[in-house]
Each structure stands twice: as structure tokens, then as C-alpha cells.
Amino acid sequence: MSELLAALEVLATDWLLPRSVQALPLFATVLLVDAALGRRIGPEARGLLWTLALALPCLPLGLEAGWAPLPHPAPLAGAAASLPAWTRVLAVLWLAGALVHLGLLVAGELGHRRRLARLERVPSAWLDRTVAEVAAGLGMRRAPSLLVLRGLDEALTLGLLRPRVLLPLRLCERARGDARARFRLRQVLAHELAHVRRRDPLVVAAWRLLLAPFWFHPLQRFALRRAELCAELSCDRQALRGSGARPDEYGRTLLDQARAWIAPGPRAATGFLGPRSMLLARLELLPSLHRPRRPLLGLLLATVVAVCCMPARTTRAGPAYEDLEGCLQKRFFVMRAMAAAAEAPR
């Protein structure tokens, strides 16, 4: 147990805290690029930038050499005896917070699935043709499985490896006898099928796992919200193209579905309305989704950010020969020095 606590101390002081501070230039760079060029490069490239902001601080290794604004902290080596006493308390609190974060993710997903399992399934064979048409409009080879549930509040895409689309019965019943409601159903289907096409349930789960080591970091949480917003905007863009709706028509569909949006608590699946805090942002940005995008510019920017902000590997100086205790440690010290001298270029 003492060795585990010592390892946690070194992890917290040598990797976690330095990386939390060193991530500031990365977030500033991504935020600046997003604010200046976000509407030109499109939500897909913006989502890639925020994914880099989430992923790069978690990388254990970096480049061997060279300049980087986000240098890699010292590796997990050395004894924890020289560290102050408060670092052990900090390490235990960090581990407890990370475990709570992961536990809440698992509990939220399981609870969401249990609530959906209680809902009544309704036959939906009459929707197969509509789903196939919308999927073909999005360029999908085959349509995913579809479930219609009585009592569901909004359309959802659920499942990490084999995502399924879940539709509320009230939305489908309206579409049977009303052409306008049928058109809105196609918009909702196009949005959910875009989530399936992009593998968003799996991607969002990976984003939330990346947040676990930095559960305390407000910038990491901000990056997660921005990445999720970009995912919703990407699906909105594809839904506009796949359903043939105008931005104002699609916005009215969002507002119409939001009237019945009364389910409390966090949302574990990828839904048509998305998180509540993103609804107004999506409505505001809908007109800009029809503008021509520049994906190559976005890919170039993401590559530049990834290369310039990649952690650079550094090493901590090992203990001196005089500080070692025992003949085995001194023998290993000498053998390592001889191996390094043999590998050095002459």
C-alpha cells in the first residue's frame, strides 16, 4: 500500500500538476483558432481541434527533442520521500475524484439503459422505407436498427459498437397523417443517422474517458462541451443536407421537439436535442452551416496545433553514484553508464 501511495504522489506531482498548467497554451491556441476561423473551417474541423485539446494533455510521451510550448513533465521516477506531506493527500483526492468520475459515467449509462428498457416497444415496420431513404441520402450503405418507444421524450442514438436509433411514439404517430410532421420526422431521422454514421456514441464516450485524469480541470470540461457542440453541429449540417430542409425549418423542428423535453438529469446517449445548454448555440449557428467550408484548412490547422503543442519528452537526472546504497545499485549504475557509452556515436 505504501508503494502505491508513493507512486500516486509521484504521478500527481511529476505529471498531473505540471501537465495541468502546461496545457494552458494549448487551450489558448485552440480557443483562438476556434473563435477566429471556426465558421470557415466547419464544425468537423473544430471538433478535431477540441479533441486534440482533450487528448494531448493525457499523452504520457511526446517528441524526443525539439521546441514545444507544452513540454512533457518528468517521468514517473525517483523516490517520493523528498516530496512534502500534502502531496499524498492530494494524490489520494485525485484518485478518488477520478474513480468517482468513472463511476458516474458507468452508473449514468446503466441507469439510462434501465429506464429505456421499461418503455414499451411499438412495431415500426412502416418506417423502414423512410429510414432507408434518409440513410441513402446521407451516403450510408445500410440503415441501422430502429426502435419506436412509447413514453420516450426525444430521439436518441444509443450503443457504442452497434448504435441504434430510438424514436418517440408521439413523433411517429404525428407523421402518419400529417405531411409537415412527416417532413420533421425525416429531419430528426437524418440527425440521428448522422450520429450513427459518425460513430458519435463511441467518440463521446472516449471524450468523457479522457476527462477522467483531469476531472478537476475547468478547461478540460470546457473542451468537452465544445467538442460535443461541434458533434451536434456536424450532425445538424448532415441533417440539413440529407433531409433537404432549410435552416429555419430545421430550427422550428428543434423548437417543436424541445417543448416536450422534460426528462431531468444528465443525458447518457446522443440525442436529437443534445445537452440543454447547447440548444441555443445550435439555433444561432444553423444559418452558418450552409456556408461553404474549407476542410483542408481545418485539417492543416489541426496538424499544426498537434505538432506545435505535442509534449516534448524530458528526463530527470538520475541519482549520483555517491547517493546509492548497496552494491547491487552501484553495479547497476556502472553497467548502465557503460551501456550508454557503448551506444554513443564515436
Side-chain angles (χ1 to χ4, degrees), residues 110-251:
L110 294 179
H112 196 71
R113 289 177 179 271
R114 283 196 298 267
R115 288 193 296 269
L116 292 176
R118 300 191 195 105
L119 301 179
E120 178 188 354
R121 297 187 180 186
V122 180
S124 58
W126 61 278
L127 281 173
D128 292 344
R129 181 178 178 182
T130 303
V131 175
E133 291 176 354
V134 176
L138 293 175
M140 301 177 65
R141 295 182 178 179
R142 63 183 183 89
S145 59
L146 177 72
L147 292 178
V148 178
L149 301 178
R150 187 189 305 273
L152 188 64
D153 296 300
E154 62 164 326
L156 298 174
T157 299
L158 186 67
L160 297 180
L161 301 179
R162 294 182 178 180
R164 297 181 298 175
V165 175
L166 311 180
L167 293 178
L169 178 61
R170 57 175 180 79
L171 177 64
C172 300
E173 287 179 340
R174 293 178 189 174
R176 279 191 168 183
D178 187 353
R180 181 176 299 178
R182 191 178 304 114
F183 184 51
R184 290 183 175 178
L185 175 62
R186 293 179 67 92
Q187 298 172 38
V188 174
L189 274 174
H191 181 93
E192 297 307 318
L193 292 179
H195 278 304
V196 175
R197 185 171 181 263
R198 287 168 40 89
R199 298 282 182 178
D200 277 339
L202 183 61
V203 172
V204 172
W207 287 340
R208 293 174 181 175
L209 286 177
L210 287 174
L211 186 62
F214 297 93
W215 57 268
F216 59 90
H217 205 304
L219 292 180
Q220 284 285 91
R221 294 186 175 274
F222 176 77
L224 175 63
R225 291 195 298 269
R226 299 297 292 184
E228 291 179 343
L229 173 61
C230 293
E232 293 296 331
L233 290 174
S234 300
C235 293
D236 289 338
R237 178 197 288 275
Q238 296 186 36
L240 288 172
R241 186 183 70 245
S243 64
R246 300 192 307 271
D248 58 330
E249 295 173 333
Y250 190 80

Side-chain angles (χ1 to χ4, degrees), residues 260-299:
W261 194 12
I262 58 175
R267 322 194 85 75
T270 305
F272 174 66
L273 294 173
R276 294 178 176 85
S277 60
M278 297 181 187
L279 184 59
L280 292 179
R282 290 170 62 190
L283 291 172
E284 180 184 358
L285 294 173
L286 276 179
S288 65
L289 297 181
H290 266 315
R291 298 176 182 175
R293 56 179 179 171
R294 299 178 180 178
L296 294 180
L297 176 60
L299 182 60

Side-chain angles (χ1 to χ4, degrees), residues 1 15 36 51 64 188 195 229 236-237 239 257 263 311 313 322 329 332 346:
M1 181 62 68
W15 180 77
T51 301
E64 288 289 346
V188 174
H195 278 304
L229 173 61
D236 289 338
R237 178 197 288 275
Q257 296 301 306
R313 183 181 302 175
E322 294 79 8
Q329 294 185 7
F332 176 76
R346 299 179 179 179

